[in-house]
mmCIF file of all heavy atoms in Angstrom:
data_model
loop_
_atom_site.group_PDB
_atom_site.id
_atom_site.type_symbol
_atom_site.label_atom_id
_atom_site.label_comp_id
_atom_site.label_asym_id
_atom_site.label_seq_id
_atom_site.Cartn_x
_atom_site.Cartn_y
_atom_site.Cartn_z
ATOM 1 N N ASN R 170 -102.672 -87.541 81.853
ATOM 2 C CA ASN R 170 -102.006 -88.820 82.085
ATOM 3 C C ASN R 170 -100.521 -88.601 82.363
ATOM 4 O O ASN R 170 -99.752 -88.295 81.457
ATOM 5 C CB ASN R 170 -102.194 -89.728 80.869
ATOM 6 C CG ASN R 170 -101.611 -91.122 81.087
ATOM 7 O OD1 ASN R 170 -101.105 -91.440 82.153
ATOM 8 N ND2 ASN R 170 -101.688 -91.949 80.064
ATOM 9 N N ILE R 171 -100.134 -88.768 83.618
ATOM 10 C CA ILE R 171 -98.720 -88.662 83.997
ATOM 11 C C ILE R 171 -98.244 -89.966 84.629
ATOM 12 O O ILE R 171 -97.259 -89.981 85.362
ATOM 13 C CB ILE R 171 -98.480 -87.482 84.965
ATOM 14 C CG1 ILE R 171 -99.392 -87.595 86.192
ATOM 15 C CG2 ILE R 171 -98.687 -86.156 84.260
ATOM 16 C CD1 ILE R 171 -99.059 -86.602 87.284
ATOM 17 N N SER R 172 -98.941 -91.056 84.325
ATOM 18 C CA SER R 172 -98.705 -92.301 85.056
ATOM 19 C C SER R 172 -98.265 -93.461 84.191
ATOM 20 O O SER R 172 -98.115 -94.577 84.694
ATOM 21 C CB SER R 172 -99.981 -92.692 85.816
ATOM 22 O OG SER R 172 -101.103 -92.701 84.946
ATOM 23 N N SER R 173 -98.046 -93.244 82.899
ATOM 24 C CA SER R 173 -97.519 -94.331 82.071
ATOM 25 C C SER R 173 -96.088 -94.628 82.481
ATOM 26 O O SER R 173 -95.281 -93.714 82.626
ATOM 27 C CB SER R 173 -97.565 -93.948 80.593
ATOM 28 O OG SER R 173 -96.831 -94.901 79.826
ATOM 29 N N PRO R 174 -95.723 -95.912 82.616
ATOM 30 C CA PRO R 174 -94.334 -96.237 82.961
ATOM 31 C C PRO R 174 -93.421 -96.305 81.747
ATOM 32 O O PRO R 174 -92.225 -96.584 81.896
ATOM 33 C CB PRO R 174 -94.478 -97.629 83.597
ATOM 34 C CG PRO R 174 -95.626 -98.248 82.869
ATOM 35 C CD PRO R 174 -96.594 -97.105 82.599
ATOM 36 N N ASN R 175 -93.964 -96.041 80.554
ATOM 37 C CA ASN R 175 -93.221 -96.302 79.317
ATOM 38 C C ASN R 175 -92.642 -95.056 78.653
ATOM 39 O O ASN R 175 -92.062 -95.142 77.576
ATOM 40 C CB ASN R 175 -94.119 -97.051 78.335
ATOM 41 C CG ASN R 175 -94.599 -98.368 78.911
ATOM 42 O OD1 ASN R 175 -93.825 -99.105 79.508
ATOM 43 N ND2 ASN R 175 -95.880 -98.650 78.768
ATOM 44 N N THR R 176 -92.812 -93.890 79.276
ATOM 45 C CA THR R 176 -92.153 -92.657 78.838
ATOM 46 C C THR R 176 -91.182 -92.253 79.938
ATOM 47 O O THR R 176 -91.624 -91.925 81.046
ATOM 48 C CB THR R 176 -93.177 -91.534 78.583
ATOM 49 O OG1 THR R 176 -94.051 -91.924 77.525
ATOM 50 C CG2 THR R 176 -92.482 -90.237 78.212
ATOM 51 N N PRO R 177 -89.888 -92.297 79.690
ATOM 52 C CA PRO R 177 -88.914 -92.025 80.760
ATOM 53 C C PRO R 177 -89.174 -90.698 81.459
ATOM 54 O O PRO R 177 -89.359 -89.661 80.821
ATOM 55 C CB PRO R 177 -87.578 -92.003 80.007
ATOM 56 C CG PRO R 177 -87.806 -92.877 78.813
ATOM 57 C CD PRO R 177 -89.232 -92.632 78.406
ATOM 58 N N GLY R 178 -89.215 -90.762 82.787
ATOM 59 C CA GLY R 178 -89.363 -89.559 83.599
ATOM 60 C C GLY R 178 -90.784 -89.065 83.766
ATOM 61 O O GLY R 178 -91.037 -88.161 84.575
ATOM 62 N N LEU R 179 -91.744 -89.645 83.043
ATOM 63 C CA LEU R 179 -93.108 -89.114 83.106
ATOM 64 C C LEU R 179 -93.704 -89.240 84.507
ATOM 65 O O LEU R 179 -94.337 -88.310 85.016
ATOM 66 C CB LEU R 179 -94.006 -89.829 82.093
ATOM 67 C CG LEU R 179 -95.406 -89.224 81.952
ATOM 68 C CD1 LEU R 179 -95.348 -87.907 81.167
ATOM 69 C CD2 LEU R 179 -96.367 -90.194 81.255
ATOM 70 N N ARG R 180 -93.488 -90.372 85.143
ATOM 71 C CA ARG R 180 -94.081 -90.584 86.463
ATOM 72 C C ARG R 180 -93.490 -89.662 87.530
ATOM 73 O O ARG R 180 -94.079 -89.496 88.597
ATOM 74 C CB ARG R 180 -93.924 -92.045 86.889
ATOM 75 C CG ARG R 180 -94.902 -92.985 86.165
ATOM 76 C CD ARG R 180 -94.888 -94.383 86.745
ATOM 77 N NE ARG R 180 -95.979 -95.184 86.192
ATOM 78 C CZ ARG R 180 -96.338 -96.373 86.677
ATOM 79 N NH1 ARG R 180 -95.703 -96.909 87.701
ATOM 80 N NH2 ARG R 180 -97.350 -97.032 86.122
ATOM 81 N N ASN R 181 -92.336 -89.056 87.232
ATOM 82 C CA ASN R 181 -91.769 -88.088 88.172
ATOM 83 C C ASN R 181 -92.682 -86.877 88.344
ATOM 84 O O ASN R 181 -92.581 -86.153 89.344
ATOM 85 C CB ASN R 181 -90.395 -87.620 87.693
ATOM 86 C CG ASN R 181 -89.362 -88.731 87.687
ATOM 87 O OD1 ASN R 181 -89.529 -89.751 88.364
ATOM 88 N ND2 ASN R 181 -88.296 -88.568 86.911
ATOM 89 N N MET R 182 -93.564 -86.659 87.376
ATOM 90 C CA MET R 182 -94.485 -85.524 87.472
ATOM 91 C C MET R 182 -95.550 -85.740 88.540
ATOM 92 O O MET R 182 -96.310 -84.830 88.859
ATOM 93 C CB MET R 182 -95.135 -85.264 86.113
ATOM 94 C CG MET R 182 -94.124 -84.884 85.027
ATOM 95 S SD MET R 182 -94.868 -84.573 83.418
ATOM 96 C CE MET R 182 -95.496 -82.896 83.679
ATOM 97 N N GLN R 183 -95.615 -86.949 89.114
ATOM 98 C CA GLN R 183 -96.520 -87.198 90.228
ATOM 99 C C GLN R 183 -95.960 -86.653 91.545
ATOM 100 O O GLN R 183 -96.689 -86.556 92.530
ATOM 101 C CB GLN R 183 -96.795 -88.698 90.370
ATOM 102 C CG GLN R 183 -97.543 -89.286 89.180
ATOM 103 C CD GLN R 183 -97.708 -90.796 89.263
ATOM 104 O OE1 GLN R 183 -98.803 -91.315 89.245
ATOM 105 N NE2 GLN R 183 -96.584 -91.503 89.359
ATOM 106 N N ALA R 184 -94.668 -86.319 91.582
ATOM 107 C CA ALA R 184 -94.072 -85.724 92.777
ATOM 108 C C ALA R 184 -94.704 -84.361 93.029
ATOM 109 O O ALA R 184 -95.032 -83.624 92.095
ATOM 110 C CB ALA R 184 -92.566 -85.595 92.606
ATOM 111 N N ARG R 185 -94.838 -83.976 94.278
ATOM 112 C CA ARG R 185 -95.716 -82.868 94.636
ATOM 113 C C ARG R 185 -95.366 -81.543 93.964
ATOM 114 O O ARG R 185 -96.247 -80.842 93.460
ATOM 115 C CB ARG R 185 -95.759 -82.685 96.157
ATOM 116 C CG ARG R 185 -96.792 -81.637 96.567
ATOM 117 C CD ARG R 185 -97.211 -81.731 97.982
ATOM 118 N NE ARG R 185 -98.336 -80.837 98.233
ATOM 119 C CZ ARG R 185 -98.972 -80.760 99.387
ATOM 120 N NH1 ARG R 185 -98.614 -81.518 100.412
ATOM 121 N NH2 ARG R 185 -99.980 -79.919 99.539
ATOM 122 N N GLU R 186 -94.085 -81.171 93.935
ATOM 123 C CA GLU R 186 -93.727 -79.870 93.371
ATOM 124 C C GLU R 186 -94.062 -79.805 91.884
ATOM 125 O O GLU R 186 -94.680 -78.848 91.406
ATOM 126 C CB GLU R 186 -92.239 -79.578 93.595
ATOM 127 C CG GLU R 186 -91.832 -78.193 93.118
ATOM 128 C CD GLU R 186 -90.389 -77.864 93.452
ATOM 129 O OE1 GLU R 186 -89.759 -78.616 94.234
ATOM 130 O OE2 GLU R 186 -89.895 -76.849 92.932
ATOM 131 N N GLN R 187 -93.645 -80.828 91.141
ATOM 132 C CA GLN R 187 -93.953 -80.854 89.705
ATOM 133 C C GLN R 187 -95.450 -80.956 89.469
ATOM 134 O O GLN R 187 -95.992 -80.314 88.564
ATOM 135 C CB GLN R 187 -93.246 -82.030 89.034
ATOM 136 C CG GLN R 187 -91.740 -81.879 88.908
ATOM 137 C CD GLN R 187 -91.151 -82.941 88.017
ATOM 138 O OE1 GLN R 187 -91.558 -83.108 86.878
ATOM 139 N NE2 GLN R 187 -90.182 -83.685 88.548
ATOM 140 N N LEU R 188 -96.122 -81.768 90.272
ATOM 141 C CA LEU R 188 -97.560 -81.943 90.109
ATOM 142 C C LEU R 188 -98.302 -80.640 90.347
ATOM 143 O O LEU R 188 -99.245 -80.296 89.620
ATOM 144 C CB LEU R 188 -98.068 -83.023 91.061
ATOM 145 C CG LEU R 188 -99.568 -83.330 90.977
ATOM 146 C CD1 LEU R 188 -99.956 -83.857 89.592
ATOM 147 C CD2 LEU R 188 -99.962 -84.335 92.064
ATOM 148 N N GLY R 189 -97.892 -79.913 91.362
ATOM 149 C CA GLY R 189 -98.545 -78.644 91.659
ATOM 150 C C GLY R 189 -98.466 -77.679 90.491
ATOM 151 O O GLY R 189 -99.455 -77.026 90.122
ATOM 152 N N GLU R 190 -97.266 -77.586 89.890
ATOM 153 C CA GLU R 190 -97.122 -76.699 88.736
ATOM 154 C C GLU R 190 -97.948 -77.184 87.556
ATOM 155 O O GLU R 190 -98.618 -76.404 86.869
ATOM 156 C CB GLU R 190 -95.647 -76.595 88.331
ATOM 157 C CG GLU R 190 -95.437 -75.644 87.146
ATOM 158 C CD GLU R 190 -94.007 -75.586 86.652
ATOM 159 O OE1 GLU R 190 -93.137 -76.253 87.253
ATOM 160 O OE2 GLU R 190 -93.758 -74.874 85.650
ATOM 161 N N LEU R 191 -97.897 -78.493 87.301
ATOM 162 C CA LEU R 191 -98.668 -79.058 86.191
ATOM 163 C C LEU R 191 -100.155 -78.759 86.336
ATOM 164 O O LEU R 191 -100.802 -78.259 85.401
ATOM 165 C CB LEU R 191 -98.445 -80.571 86.137
ATOM 166 C CG LEU R 191 -99.390 -81.349 85.211
ATOM 167 C CD1 LEU R 191 -99.111 -81.021 83.755
ATOM 168 C CD2 LEU R 191 -99.267 -82.854 85.459
ATOM 169 N N LEU R 192 -100.704 -79.066 87.502
ATOM 170 C CA LEU R 192 -102.147 -78.890 87.681
ATOM 171 C C LEU R 192 -102.543 -77.415 87.644
ATOM 172 O O LEU R 192 -103.606 -77.070 87.113
ATOM 173 C CB LEU R 192 -102.598 -79.546 88.990
ATOM 174 C CG LEU R 192 -102.409 -81.067 89.067
ATOM 175 C CD1 LEU R 192 -102.964 -81.599 90.378
ATOM 176 C CD2 LEU R 192 -103.048 -81.777 87.877
ATOM 177 N N SER R 193 -101.697 -76.544 88.179
ATOM 178 C CA SER R 193 -101.986 -75.105 88.114
ATOM 179 C C SER R 193 -102.064 -74.637 86.672
ATOM 180 O O SER R 193 -102.989 -73.914 86.270
ATOM 181 C CB SER R 193 -100.911 -74.311 88.862
ATOM 182 O OG SER R 193 -100.967 -74.548 90.246
ATOM 183 N N ARG R 194 -101.105 -75.053 85.866
ATOM 184 C CA ARG R 194 -101.076 -74.615 84.471
ATOM 185 C C ARG R 194 -102.190 -75.257 83.644
ATOM 186 O O ARG R 194 -102.764 -74.621 82.746
ATOM 187 C CB ARG R 194 -99.695 -74.894 83.874
ATOM 188 C CG ARG R 194 -98.629 -73.931 84.421
ATOM 189 C CD ARG R 194 -97.225 -74.291 83.993
ATOM 190 N NE ARG R 194 -97.032 -74.310 82.543
ATOM 191 C CZ ARG R 194 -95.861 -74.546 81.960
ATOM 192 N NH1 ARG R 194 -94.777 -74.778 82.715
ATOM 193 N NH2 ARG R 194 -95.745 -74.553 80.646
ATOM 194 N N VAL R 195 -102.500 -76.502 83.942
ATOM 195 C CA VAL R 195 -103.610 -77.162 83.234
ATOM 196 C C VAL R 195 -104.927 -76.459 83.535
ATOM 197 O O VAL R 195 -105.732 -76.192 82.615
ATOM 198 C CB VAL R 195 -103.689 -78.652 83.627
ATOM 199 C CG1 VAL R 195 -105.054 -79.245 83.282
ATOM 200 C CG2 VAL R 195 -102.595 -79.450 82.920
ATOM 201 N N MET R 196 -105.166 -76.137 84.786
ATOM 202 C CA MET R 196 -106.429 -75.483 85.146
ATOM 203 C C MET R 196 -106.490 -74.058 84.601
ATOM 204 O O MET R 196 -107.558 -73.572 84.215
ATOM 205 C CB MET R 196 -106.618 -75.503 86.658
ATOM 206 C CG MET R 196 -106.786 -76.914 87.219
ATOM 207 S SD MET R 196 -108.144 -77.845 86.463
ATOM 208 C CE MET R 196 -109.529 -77.236 87.446
ATOM 209 N N ALA R 197 -105.347 -73.386 84.546
ATOM 210 C CA ALA R 197 -105.307 -72.053 83.942
ATOM 211 C C ALA R 197 -105.610 -72.138 82.453
ATOM 212 O O ALA R 197 -106.329 -71.283 81.891
ATOM 213 C CB ALA R 197 -103.944 -71.409 84.173
ATOM 214 N N ALA R 198 -105.083 -73.179 81.794
ATOM 215 C CA ALA R 198 -105.367 -73.365 80.372
ATOM 216 C C ALA R 198 -106.849 -73.647 80.157
ATOM 217 O O ALA R 198 -107.465 -73.127 79.212
ATOM 218 C CB ALA R 198 -104.518 -74.506 79.811
ATOM 219 N N ARG R 199 -107.434 -74.462 81.016
ATOM 220 C CA ARG R 199 -108.865 -74.751 80.868
ATOM 221 C C ARG R 199 -109.707 -73.502 81.060
ATOM 222 O O ARG R 199 -110.732 -73.324 80.402
ATOM 223 C CB ARG R 199 -109.309 -75.837 81.850
ATOM 224 C CG ARG R 199 -110.745 -76.282 81.589
ATOM 225 C CD ARG R 199 -111.287 -77.193 82.643
ATOM 226 N NE ARG R 199 -111.472 -76.536 83.921
ATOM 227 C CZ ARG R 199 -112.117 -77.082 84.949
ATOM 228 N NH1 ARG R 199 -112.615 -78.306 84.850
ATOM 229 N NH2 ARG R 199 -112.252 -76.427 86.090
ATOM 230 N N ALA R 200 -109.291 -72.627 81.956
ATOM 231 C CA ALA R 200 -110.065 -71.418 82.244
ATOM 232 C C ALA R 200 -110.183 -70.510 81.029
ATOM 233 O O ALA R 200 -111.097 -69.690 80.943
ATOM 234 C CB ALA R 200 -109.435 -70.655 83.408
ATOM 235 N N THR R 201 -109.265 -70.671 80.073
ATOM 236 C CA THR R 201 -109.306 -69.830 78.875
ATOM 237 C C THR R 201 -110.182 -70.422 77.780
ATOM 238 O O THR R 201 -110.400 -69.785 76.748
ATOM 239 C CB THR R 201 -107.889 -69.631 78.305
ATOM 240 O OG1 THR R 201 -107.392 -70.876 77.811
ATOM 241 C CG2 THR R 201 -106.954 -69.073 79.358
ATOM 242 N N THR R 202 -110.692 -71.645 77.973
ATOM 243 C CA THR R 202 -111.513 -72.293 76.957
ATOM 244 C C THR R 202 -112.985 -72.006 77.202
ATOM 245 O O THR R 202 -113.399 -71.696 78.324
ATOM 246 C CB THR R 202 -111.292 -73.814 76.940
ATOM 247 O OG1 THR R 202 -111.825 -74.393 78.138
ATOM 248 C CG2 THR R 202 -109.813 -74.147 76.821
ATOM 249 N N THR R 203 -113.773 -72.140 76.158
ATOM 250 C CA THR R 203 -115.217 -71.901 76.276
ATOM 251 C C THR R 203 -115.928 -73.071 76.947
ATOM 252 O O THR R 203 -116.794 -72.886 77.802
ATOM 253 C CB THR R 203 -115.821 -71.656 74.886
ATOM 254 O OG1 THR R 203 -115.177 -70.534 74.292
ATOM 255 C CG2 THR R 203 -117.319 -71.394 74.979
ATOM 256 N N ALA R 204 -115.552 -74.298 76.581
ATOM 257 C CA ALA R 204 -116.291 -75.480 77.042
ATOM 258 C C ALA R 204 -116.009 -75.818 78.507
ATOM 259 O O ALA R 204 -116.910 -76.190 79.251
ATOM 260 C CB ALA R 204 -115.937 -76.670 76.164
ATOM 261 N N GLN R 205 -114.742 -75.733 78.925
ATOM 262 C CA GLN R 205 -114.307 -76.039 80.293
ATOM 263 C C GLN R 205 -114.825 -77.387 80.800
ATOM 264 O O GLN R 205 -115.562 -77.452 81.788
ATOM 265 C CB GLN R 205 -114.714 -74.901 81.243
ATOM 266 C CG GLN R 205 -114.082 -73.583 80.870
ATOM 267 C CD GLN R 205 -114.134 -72.545 81.975
ATOM 268 O OE1 GLN R 205 -114.300 -72.866 83.145
ATOM 269 N NE2 GLN R 205 -113.972 -71.302 81.594
ATOM 270 N N PRO R 206 -114.434 -78.477 80.153
ATOM 271 C CA PRO R 206 -114.838 -79.804 80.629
ATOM 272 C C PRO R 206 -114.146 -80.159 81.931
ATOM 273 O O PRO R 206 -113.101 -79.581 82.265
ATOM 274 C CB PRO R 206 -114.369 -80.724 79.498
ATOM 275 C CG PRO R 206 -113.184 -80.013 78.934
ATOM 276 C CD PRO R 206 -113.526 -78.542 78.998
ATOM 277 N N PRO R 207 -114.682 -81.107 82.690
ATOM 278 C CA PRO R 207 -113.989 -81.573 83.891
ATOM 279 C C PRO R 207 -112.612 -82.124 83.553
ATOM 280 O O PRO R 207 -112.380 -82.659 82.464
ATOM 281 C CB PRO R 207 -114.898 -82.698 84.414
ATOM 282 C CG PRO R 207 -116.221 -82.478 83.766
ATOM 283 C CD PRO R 207 -115.958 -81.813 82.461
ATOM 284 N N VAL R 208 -111.694 -81.995 84.509
ATOM 285 C CA VAL R 208 -110.332 -82.517 84.359
ATOM 286 C C VAL R 208 -110.114 -83.614 85.392
ATOM 287 O O VAL R 208 -110.363 -83.426 86.582
ATOM 288 C CB VAL R 208 -109.284 -81.402 84.543
ATOM 289 C CG1 VAL R 208 -107.869 -81.989 84.579
ATOM 290 C CG2 VAL R 208 -109.398 -80.362 83.434
ATOM 291 N N PHE R 209 -109.640 -84.770 84.915
ATOM 292 C CA PHE R 209 -109.288 -85.882 85.793
ATOM 293 C C PHE R 209 -107.779 -86.128 85.691
ATOM 294 O O PHE R 209 -107.176 -85.914 84.641
ATOM 295 C CB PHE R 209 -110.033 -87.164 85.402
ATOM 296 C CG PHE R 209 -111.533 -87.068 85.498
ATOM 297 C CD1 PHE R 209 -112.345 -87.837 84.680
ATOM 298 C CD2 PHE R 209 -112.141 -86.211 86.395
ATOM 299 C CE1 PHE R 209 -113.723 -87.759 84.759
ATOM 300 C CE2 PHE R 209 -113.521 -86.118 86.484
ATOM 301 C CZ PHE R 209 -114.322 -86.901 85.668
ATOM 302 N N LEU R 210 -107.189 -86.586 86.776
ATOM 303 C CA LEU R 210 -105.766 -86.909 86.836
ATOM 304 C C LEU R 210 -105.621 -88.423 86.930
ATOM 305 O O LEU R 210 -106.197 -89.053 87.827
ATOM 306 C CB LEU R 210 -105.114 -86.251 88.057
ATOM 307 C CG LEU R 210 -103.643 -86.601 88.301
ATOM 308 C CD1 LEU R 210 -102.752 -85.962 87.245
ATOM 309 C CD2 LEU R 210 -103.213 -86.151 89.700
ATOM 310 N N LYS R 211 -104.854 -89.026 86.018
ATOM 311 C CA LYS R 211 -104.647 -90.478 86.056
ATOM 312 C C LYS R 211 -103.327 -90.788 86.738
ATOM 313 O O LYS R 211 -102.274 -90.301 86.313
ATOM 314 C CB LYS R 211 -104.667 -91.064 84.647
ATOM 315 C CG LYS R 211 -104.654 -92.598 84.632
ATOM 316 C CD LYS R 211 -105.044 -93.157 83.281
ATOM 317 C CE LYS R 211 -105.202 -94.669 83.330
ATOM 318 N NZ LYS R 211 -105.711 -95.214 82.047
ATOM 319 N N ILE R 212 -103.382 -91.613 87.788
ATOM 320 C CA ILE R 212 -102.203 -91.896 88.600
ATOM 321 C C ILE R 212 -101.795 -93.366 88.486
ATOM 322 O O ILE R 212 -102.554 -94.217 88.028
ATOM 323 C CB ILE R 212 -102.420 -91.516 90.074
ATOM 324 C CG1 ILE R 212 -103.501 -92.394 90.715
ATOM 325 C CG2 ILE R 212 -102.767 -90.037 90.195
ATOM 326 C CD1 ILE R 212 -103.632 -92.214 92.224
ATOM 327 N N ALA R 213 -100.584 -93.644 88.931
ATOM 328 C CA ALA R 213 -100.030 -94.994 88.910
ATOM 329 C C ALA R 213 -100.469 -95.762 90.160
ATOM 330 O O ALA R 213 -100.768 -95.166 91.198
ATOM 331 C CB ALA R 213 -98.506 -94.932 88.843
ATOM 332 N N PRO R 214 -100.457 -97.099 90.073
ATOM 333 C CA PRO R 214 -100.746 -97.898 91.267
ATOM 334 C C PRO R 214 -99.526 -98.135 92.133
ATOM 335 O O PRO R 214 -99.643 -98.706 93.220
ATOM 336 C CB PRO R 214 -101.233 -99.224 90.670
ATOM 337 C CG PRO R 214 -100.471 -99.349 89.400
ATOM 338 C CD PRO R 214 -100.299 -97.930 88.875
#
Side-chain angles (χ1 to χ4, degrees):
N170 184 2
I171 55 171
S172 52
S173 169
N175 301 316
T176 297
L179 188 74
R180 284 189 170 191
N181 295 340
M182 298 180 79
Q183 295 175 122
R185 187 160 189 176
E186 184 175 349
Q187 289 191 55
L188 181 62
E190 182 184 358
L191 168 69
L192 297 183
S193 292
R194 288 172 59 177
V195 162
M196 295 304 276
R199 187 188 68 170
T201 67
T202 69
T203 301
Q205 299 196 20
V208 172
F209 298 152
L210 175 71
K211 188 165 187 174
I212 66 172

